[in-house]
Amino acid sequence: MDTNIDFKNIWKQQTSNKPDLKELLGKLKKFKNENLRKIIIINALLIATSLGIAFIWYRYQPQLITTKTGIILVILAMIIFLFAYNKMFMVFYKIDNTQSNSEYLQSLYTVKNKQKFMQTTMLNTYFIILFLGICLYMYEYASRMTFTSAVIAYAATFSWIAINWFYIRPKTIKKQEAKIDGLINKFEEINKQLKDL
């Protein structure tokens, strides 16, 4: 059986228990546009942050090598993350309403695999490099503070990183997985029903 069939025409012929195809394609389009917009926003934020950090280096001229290394690591973490994240752009961009059911499914599987890679390997790499960079960057300024102030500064920074790692990151991953799994399940259901015709 040809799995690359145009299911839109066949779907119109079915009458019982069919999901609303127009609504499903609308959800897919919304999912695509949301993710493209998110890629653009994350690029703008991380590039602006990197430029801001570079300006701090230029303006305040840190003395210690640890501070300079910290700044380089923080910017490097953002560049590495963006390099990997921007590969998602073409994956989302290629999803359009001219695809067949198997092409929709293949596109969604590709998105899911790439999201998994971003959520694990790339996000872990990003957080580790960012964490090391921030620790090194703070050392010069913390060394000029009183011991109590330095402890408070590091504790506040570690708390912020911990909240992002243990609360925001898992919540975001769960939300992303629920959206992609919901779409995949609907298209798999359509695919299965078409095979049963």
Side-chain angles (χ1 to χ4, degrees):
M1 181 180 176
D2 182 10
T3 57
N4 230 1
I5 55 176
D6 179 10
F7 67 94
K8 293 181 189 86
N9 293 326
I10 295 172
W11 208 248
K12 290 175 187 172
Q13 299 167 14
Q14 289 198 82
T15 56
S16 62
N17 297 328
K18 64 175 181 180
D20 186 345
L21 183 59
K22 191 174 179 182
E23 182 185 340
L24 183 56
L25 292 175
K27 284 181 181 178
L28 181 62
K29 185 178 179 181
K30 184 181 175 188
F31 175 76
K32 169 189 168 177
N33 291 338
E34 280 176 358
N35 280 282
L36 288 173
R37 197 165 36 250
K38 193 186 296 181
I39 289 170
I40 292 165
I41 290 168
I42 287 175
N43 268 274
L45 288 174
L46 291 184
I47 289 168
T49 303
S50 295
L51 292 174
I53 292 167
F55 175 75
I56 289 169
W57 185 345
Y58 170 77
R59 177 72 179 84
Y60 294 104
Q61 294 295 313
Q63 301 302 308
L64 298 180
I65 191 73
T66 52
T67 313
K68 295 170 185 175
T69 304
I71 290 172
I72 291 167
L73 284 175
V74 168
I75 294 173
L76 183 65
M78 294 179 192
I79 290 169
I80 290 170
F81 183 81
L82 283 179
F83 180 75
Y85 192 58
N86 285 333
K87 290 182 177 180
M88 296 282 289
F89 184 86
M90 285 313 294
V91 176
F92 286 114
Y93 187 75
K94 287 178 182 174
I95 298 173
D96 61 49
N97 60 2
T98 63
Q99 293 178 316
S100 67
N101 63 322
S102 61
E103 288 171 329
Y104 280 129
L105 267 173
Q106 191 55 50
S107 294
L108 290 171
Y109 290 142
T110 302
V111 167
K112 184 171 179 165
N113 289 336
K114 288 193 178 291
Q115 273 187 350
K116 194 76 176 168
F117 174 73
M118 288 302 301
Q119 292 162 352
T120 54
T121 306
M122 290 316 302
L123 213 49
N124 291 344
T125 303
Y126 173 73
F127 266 97
I128 289 166
I129 298 172
L130 187 69
F131 178 75
L132 289 172
I134 289 171
C135 289
L136 289 170
Y137 173 78
M138 288 178 64
Y139 176 74
E140 180 174 343
Y141 305 104
S143 65
R144 297 174 188 168
M145 299 176 184
T146 63
F147 178 76
T148 305
S149 298
V151 168
I152 290 169
Y154 271 103
T157 304
F158 293 162
S159 297
W160 171 76
I161 291 169
I163 288 167
N164 276 280
W165 183 258
F166 294 110
Y167 178 71
I168 295 173
R169 185 184 65 95
K171 194 173 179 181
T172 304
I173 289 171
K174 192 173 180 182
K175 191 175 176 182
Q176 287 175 342
E177 286 177 348
K179 281 185 180 180
I180 191 76
D181 287 344
L183 285 168
I184 286 172
N185 290 342
K186 289 289 184 187
F187 279 103
E188 282 178 341
E189 183 184 336
I190 289 170
N191 207 29
K192 184 179 181 299
Q193 289 183 18
L194 286 172
K195 285 178 181 177
D196 292 341
L197 287 177

